[in-house]
Amino acid sequence: MKAFFDFETNIDRQQIFRSLNLYEGSAHYDYYLDVYEELLLEFGQLVKPEGYYQLKTNALGKDFHLDLESPTHVVFCLITLGDAISKRSTEMFKDNDSFKGLLLDAMANQLLFDSSELFYHCIREDIHLKMGFGLTRRYSPGDEGICLTYQKEILDSLNDVMVQKIEVTKKYMYKPSKTLGYVYGAGQGLECSLNDHDCSRCQQTSCNFQKSTN
């Protein structure tokens, strides 16, 4: 298993505000800005992005996804922001600071999305450029009919160090919640995808981080 910790924690306020339908000129916009700047000071101390990946022989096959029938290998990946950010957001909701909790949660979601894209460049450099494996696009449990039970298999495919940091609930959700698990198909001679994630195939049609891959 290989680990990556060199993540940036910069986030895009405009994108976050769009995700919450907060627009300049709207009522209380100045208040929203003040709250954002207040949370931003705390945000950098709460998030601790970590990424882990492992190249293994493909035992998932088409049961996971039809596109994984032919790749000889699979790259299991997991990226997390740690548990402090989720705990702080939950505290804010309990203290009736629902807007602060919602905004902090949106900030974490954007960082997790952006960090996964940065992580792909690290994986691509190692697996593709150094080892010669082509990579498919990303496949995530919960998308495209992929069963959530694979969340546990992804975690189990990384080494025992992860057990101390990440749990899987009875409903196969990760804890901490700001965690993503996913895979790439890999193989010698396989064309390497330029894009980490194909938004056009994502079931989250209302996602505010959706990007064009054209």
Side-chain angles (χ1 to χ4, degrees):
M1 183 183 78
K2 296 190 178 181
F4 182 76
F5 304 100
D6 192 20
F7 290 98
E8 297 178 359
T9 57
N10 298 325
I11 50 177
D12 185 339
R13 176 180 58 78
Q14 291 184 341
Q15 192 168 26
I16 292 166
F17 274 30
R18 281 198 301 272
S19 74
L20 297 175
N21 295 315
L22 307 177
Y23 297 100
E24 190 171 0
S26 61
H28 310 300
Y29 187 77
D30 288 342
Y31 167 73
Y32 302 148
L33 285 175
D34 289 343
V35 172
Y36 176 82
E37 293 300 327
E38 175 189 333
L39 292 179
L40 194 60
L41 296 174
E42 187 176 7
F43 183 74
Q45 302 300 315
L46 292 171
V47 293
K48 297 189 177 187
E50 301 179 14
Y52 302 88
Y53 66 97
Q54 179 75 54
L55 177 70
K56 290 190 173 183
T57 300
N58 182 11
L60 294 177
K62 64 180 181 180
D63 288 341
F64 183 87
H65 192 283
L66 287 176
D67 291 353
L68 287 188
E69 182 176 10
S70 58
T72 58
H73 291 72
V74 168
V75 183
F76 291 95
C77 306
L78 191 144
I79 184 169
T80 184
L81 301 184
D83 61 355
I85 188 72
S86 296
K87 287 181 178 179
R88 184 68 177 116
S89 179
T90 300
E91 287 174 1
M92 290 173 173
F93 280 106
K94 288 182 178 179
D95 292 339
N96 294 318
D97 284 330
S98 56
F99 175 70
K100 287 185 178 180
L102 191 65
L103 181 54
L104 190 65
D105 190 70
M107 293 164 72
N109 286 339
Q110 199 223 355
L111 179 61
L112 190 61
F113 186 91
D114 289 347
S115 294
S116 68
E117 290 192 330
L118 175 64
F119 193 32
Y120 178 64
H121 295 298
C122 167
I123 295 169
R124 191 174 186 273
E125 180 177 354
D126 183 28
I127 303 296
H128 175 57
L129 298 181
K130 293 182 180 179
M131 301 176 64
F133 286 87
L135 293 168
T136 66
R137 61 183 176 84
R138 182 204 307 183
Y139 297 90
S140 305
D143 289 342
E144 302 181 56
I146 301 172
C147 187
L148 274 176
T149 58
Y150 284 107
Q151 299 261 63
K152 185 177 187 305
E153 186 161 348
I154 290 170
L155 180 62
D156 289 346
S157 295
L158 300 169
N159 75 20
D160 292 341
V161 173
M162 299 307 303
V163 176
Q164 303 171 26
K165 298 183 178 184
I166 310 294
E167 299 177 33
V168 178
T169 69
K170 292 181 180 179
K171 294 184 177 179
Y172 298 100
M173 302 300 292
Y174 287 125
K175 186 179 179 182
S177 60
K178 298 308 176 188
T179 301
L180 287 175
Y182 49 94
V183 305
Y184 303 99
Q188 298 285 348
L190 185 67
E191 186 173 342
C192 195
S193 174
L194 296 177
N195 297 303
D196 166 46
H197 178 63
D198 186 350
C199 287
S200 68
R201 302 194 184 201
C202 181
Q203 293 181 335
Q204 306 299 321
T205 55
S206 61
C207 176
N208 290 280
F209 305 125
Q210 195 170 73
K211 297 180 181 180
S212 172
T213 56
N214 295 332

